[in-house]
Amino acid sequence: MSRFGETFTTPKPILAMLHLAGEGHQAKLAQAEEEARILTGEGVDGLVIENYFGDADDVERALDRICGLGLGARIGVNVLRDDASAFALAGRYPVDFIQIDSVAGHLPPQADAPFAAELAARRAAVPVLLLGGVRFKYKPVLSGRPEADDVRIGAARCDALVVTSNATGEPTELSKVARFRAATGGTVPLLIGAGMTEANAAEQLVVADGAIVGSWLKRDHRDTGAMEADHVARFMRAVRSLRAAA
């Protein structure tokens, strides 16, 4: 069994984003807790605490709060633009996984080797599950390598790959998932990282091993919206139907 499968024992696990919206520290904490309770109440398998609307300190405050609630879901962090903080937090809190938006392909060759060495050192010091992106939305492609080479290199640097198209909310191309699967020979789990909805969950999860979901669970299905309990319930019903059929 893969390390990903040991962490997430439910088939096709769903990881949901806590974007840390809210005006001020206390508002962010209150909203994060409310969203975490909604998500875990509907059976989401993991929570990704991310500084989408905050900073690394907001991630730590939310992590401290969420870890103390005993909600049952796996807890992860994604500290945007600050991988060092993500690993530091994972070393201080009971974090189950880290997400990094890009682990290969986004740097020119002269910068890639130092990045790889630093990432390896951080992983050795804090050996939690790592979910990494390759050719991730909004990230530049500067490696000068073919996509398949970037995918294989990225797979060697993490425990599962996160696959997206080009933008938040944009459905992930199934052909891209297939290319990533072919490049890795099926040796690493692949997660859909953007654009999954209750309508396309079945076809997407047939080819992927799980998903990270954010915008679709919110008001108007936008990243700036508040979490909608009904959206979460409908989405997770679709996922449970897929699991039951499988």
Side-chain angles (χ1 to χ4, degrees):
M1 181 181 292
S2 71
R3 190 175 180 190
F4 180 82
E6 292 173 352
T7 302
F8 296 101
T9 56
T10 301
K12 311 291 185 178
I14 301 299
L15 286 56
M17 304 299 302
L18 296 179
H19 282 147
L20 305 187
E23 294 298 326
H25 301 323
Q26 292 307 311
K28 288 181 186 294
L29 281 176
Q31 183 164 334
E33 178 173 341
E34 179 183 8
E35 293 180 351
R37 290 187 183 279
I38 290 170
L39 292 164
T40 55
E42 290 295 339
V44 164
D45 303 281
L47 300 171
V48 186
I49 303 174
E50 181 184 86
N51 57 325
Y52 194 92
F53 293 112
D55 56 26
D57 290 338
D58 290 315
V59 173
E60 179 161 14
R61 282 185 284 266
L63 188 58
D64 185 64
R65 173 74 66 88
I66 300 302
C67 286
L69 297 178
L71 297 176
R74 297 293 191 175
I75 305 297
V77 294
N78 184 4
V79 185
L80 300 172
R81 301 170 296 279
D82 192 351
D83 298 347
S85 288
F87 280 95
L89 290 172
R92 295 199 301 270
Y93 292 88
V95 167
D96 297 293
F97 64 96
I98 293 171
Q99 181 188 352
I100 294 179
D101 284 356
S102 185
V103 294
H106 62 294
L107 295 171
Q110 65 271 21
D112 185 66
F115 168 82
E118 190 170 53
L119 179 61
R122 287 171 177 158
R123 294 204 70 195
V126 185
V128 300
L129 183 79
L130 180 62
L131 316 180
V134 175
R135 306 290 175 108
F136 200 80
K137 58 185 178 179
Y138 306 121
K139 290 293 184 179
V141 179
L142 302 175
S143 67
R145 297 184 293 251
E147 179 188 81
D149 288 351
D150 281 339
V151 171
R152 283 189 287 269
I153 290 168
R157 293 176 180 175
C158 59
D159 300 298
L161 289 174
V162 184
V163 191
T164 73
S165 288
N166 297 318
T168 296
E170 182 179 310
T172 299
E173 303 165 29
L174 298 184
S175 60
K176 188 175 184 180
V177 180
R179 295 197 307 272
F180 277 40
R181 188 78 74 187
T184 61
T187 59
V188 62
L190 303 180
L191 306 181
I192 299 291
M196 185 173 287
T197 72
E198 63 190 86
N200 68 19
E203 66 172 349
Q204 298 235 324
L205 287 173
V206 163
V207 300
D209 301 297
I212 300 173
V213 187
S215 302
W216 185 257
L217 306 178
K218 297 186 169 190
R219 184 176 300 149
D220 299 323
H221 306 301
R222 296 178 64 86
D223 53 0
T224 53
M227 189 72 64
E228 290 277 0
D230 182 60
H231 292 180
V232 180
R234 284 163 33 204
F235 181 85
M236 290 307 296
R237 277 200 298 270
V239 171
R240 284 192 291 272
S241 294
L242 169 68
R243 290 169 175 167

